[in-house]
Amino acid sequence: MSRKTHVTTTVNGDAAEFLTDPHATLLDALRDDLRLTGAKEGCGSGDCGACSVMVDGRLVCACLMLAVEAEGKRIETIEGMAQEGELHPLQTQFLRHAALQCGFCTPGILVAAKALLEANPNPTEVEARFWLAGNLCRCTGYDKIIRAVMDAAADMRQERRAS
Amino acid sequence: MADLNYVAPTTAEAAVKALLAGGGMARVLAGGTDLLVQMRSGRLTPETIVDVKAVAGAQGIRQEAGGFVIGAATSGAVIGEHAALSMAWPGLVEATNLIGSTQVQGRASLAGNLCNASPAADSVPAMIAARAICVVVGPNGTREVAVEAICVGPGKTSLAAGEFILEFRLPARPARSGDAYLRSIPRTEMDIAVVGCGVNLTLDTDGTCAEAHVALGAVAPTALLVEAAGAALVGRKLDQEALDRLDAAARAACRPIDDKRGTVEYRTRIAGVLARRAVAIAWQRAGA
Ligand SMILES: Cc1cc2nc3c(=O)[nH]c(=O)nc-3n(C[C@H](O)[C@H](O)[C@H](O)COP(=O)(O)OP(=O)(O)OC[C@H]3O[C@@H](n4cnc5c(N)ncnc54)[C@H](O)[C@@H]3O)c2cc1C
């Protein structure tokens, strides 16, 4: 049996700590230790993006990072996306466009799309499709997802102009 | 599952020590986008993981002696955002940014791409063409090794016990230089190169080629520096005869596998085509 390691991090702005096995991935720790089950395990090999989270401001697959590597890192997950009960513009547009069916890929796609709009508030459709190429969806055919992302981007630009 | 020991040293000396202490069962961890996949599939069962990301010098990009030094564990995302590096070495940066998805780019490093020793690794032909040098740290101190001397076969490197790559050095860039990398894949994203080709060249003031380096990926057990392909360009303008000789030299170097992704004949033919196209891009960049 492996020794457990104590890890201290920040998750969605709050201090968090957990005891983990050195084999465990960040995804295991988020889901099993911190009970944040929004990030999903689709493939476990970095191909599907269902486990997308932000680590120190970078989009990564939580399945391809060891939990022990999270020490001292700033982690953001889908659970931190709605602020005080208010949905993020991306979430609102995903609902409006019905950009999901089974929903398994949705948390990862929302986290990845939020990262896109932070890096590039005015993406072209091609840029959005390439950015999200690491997020697989087997239900929607992507069209509604892309439309929701483009509309959310427009909403957010509007909001910024208004404020 | 066996016990796994994870360490994240902050000095190169401590990393070497940890690798030696782990013996044959120690592995370097950079972004983990190859290593963790292989551990999870059971293909690799290391007992010690030496995470080198916190080692001084292993992350970040700096300019030195007219060239660039790239920390071996620097992520593709950070490399892609570096304006001066992208200006001087657009081909190398594009090759690096072709690796996987946005998520993979958040972690994947040049050293991991090289030391995983896949013949199809995208950044490797571009680094070879750039004449990049690896700074290898080990029990006997530091040595400098050309990128093409690291891989010896699929999954195998020439690194000795206790050694790891700390950084890559790119040489100073003369005026009128350009580089390019192209790969052929059946899809537009998220696929493994069927052929990859990196080109780096420098022109004389009169527009003839003064120096050229051509490297191919996925057409042999390791990425190849094809000296004859570079030589086909030197002293020439970008004319049909030079391109035909380049194409022939690139094809002659190929010893590819035959698989569902591409037959021997296809890979060989495409190697010549990509070499022509990559040279055209590098030439245009050098002249611009
Ligand atoms: C979904 C997905 C898509 C991908 N697409 C591509 C692609 O299009 N093109 C491509 O080329 N690759 C691709 N890859 C493979 C992988 O992402 C790259 O090879 C990446 O560059 C590996 O870097 P890393 O830092 O994650 O390496 P790691 O996984 O950390 O390490 C890889 C290997 O190198 C060794 N190593 C790491 N750093 C050092 C060092 N400093 N010194 C000595 N040894 C070291 C490790 O021990 C290990 O054996 C993909 C992977 C995934 C999961």
Side-chain angles (χ1 to χ4, degrees), chain B residues 234-252:
Chain B
V234 174
R236 321 249 347 166
K237 301 262 176 167
L238 188 60
D239 55 28
Q240 199 55 49
E241 195 194 329
L243 287 173
D244 287 346
R245 285 174 54 207
L246 163 83
D247 189 323
R251 281 184 281 119

Side-chain angles (χ1 to χ4, degrees), chain A residues 45-47 64, chain B residues 27-38 44 52 72-73 98-101 104 107-116 120-123 159 163-166 183 190-192:
Chain A
S45 56
D47 293 285
L64 290 189
Chain B
R27 278 277 168 169
V28 176
L29 170 70
T33 60
D34 280 314
L35 185 62
L36 263 58
V37 174
Q38 289 159 15
L44 277 183
V52 294
L98 280 175
I99 298 170
S101 56
V104 170
R107 302 257 299 165
S109 68
L110 291 176
N113 200 218
L114 177 61
C115 296
N116 183 56
D122 281 305
S123 72
L159 295 176
E163 285 190 329
F164 74 101
I165 300 177
L166 178 64
R183 72 171 178 185
M190 300 291 285
D191 208 341
I192 302 165

